[in-house]
Amino acid sequence: MNPTSNPSAHRSLDARPAASRRGRILAGTAAAVALLGAGTFGAVSAAAAPAAQADASAATSVGKGLTRTTTHLTLAAATQAAQAALDAAKKADRQVSVAVVDRNGSVLVQLRGDGAGPQSYESAVRKAYTAVSWNAPTSELVGRLGQAPTLKDIPGTLFLAGGAPVRAEGAPVAGIGVAGAPSGALDEQFAEAGARALGK
């Protein structure tokens, strides 16, 4: 059959390109809407980001007068003090362990001399912690047990001579503990040598 003699054939042939054009127009419109939507969302997100950051920084900021600056012993100073205490013990031919703790009682430096007993390691830490906690040599604190015997029950403490506080402007910033000598008096003598090394 000749297509020119059939009017419906003309219509169907003409309809296909028209439908195809409408499809392309609709697809293009949908893509444009999607792009506009993405651009708007990006703009909203970009505008919201600084506000969110500002809120976060405001939430983590602390008002004036609510903080306090504290003094801490440096690691180099703690090492110097520990080595001075160990050197003093070595000079006296004593085998000891030495510990230096910060104001919070955390160990900064710990040295175990050659031949020091296994019990001396922990004892040195506890003496240092006790000295910095009460800002006093542990030999002085032993006397307080007569009036307050339950002090010895505080975790981490050891009320035996051998601990010395390290002070800055009168406030404790660290503690030095020594253990392992035949007497607490000797331990404390070595701990004091470590503290004195920082005053030079």
Side-chain angles (χ1 to χ4, degrees), residues 34-118:
L35 285 173
L36 284 173
T40 304
F41 178 75
V44 170
S45 297
Q53 289 172 356
D55 289 346
S57 93
T60 56
S61 295
V62 176
K64 290 182 180 178
L66 299 178
T67 60
R68 180 175 68 178
T69 302
T70 57
T71 303
H72 296 274
L73 202 61
T74 66
L75 181 59
T79 303
Q80 179 185 344
Q83 190 62 58
L86 195 62
D87 289 346
K90 190 174 181 181
K91 189 174 179 181
D93 199 26
R94 302 299 177 187
Q95 294 76 42
V96 300
S97 289
V98 181
V100 180
V101 301
D102 66 12
R103 181 64 184 99
N104 299 321
S106 299
V107 175
L108 290 170
V109 176
Q110 190 162 19
L111 301 176
R112 183 174 176 183
D114 295 333

Side-chain angles (χ1 to χ4, degrees), residues 4 13 30 75 85 91 119 177 185 195:
T4 55
L13 287 174
L75 181 59
K91 189 174 179 181
Q119 82 290 351

Side-chain angles (χ1 to χ4, degrees), residues 4-22:
T4 55
S5 64
N6 187 346
S8 64
H10 282 294
R11 281 196 299 274
S12 63
L13 287 174
D14 290 344
R16 265 180 276 162
S20 186
R21 278 194 303 273
R22 275 196 303 270

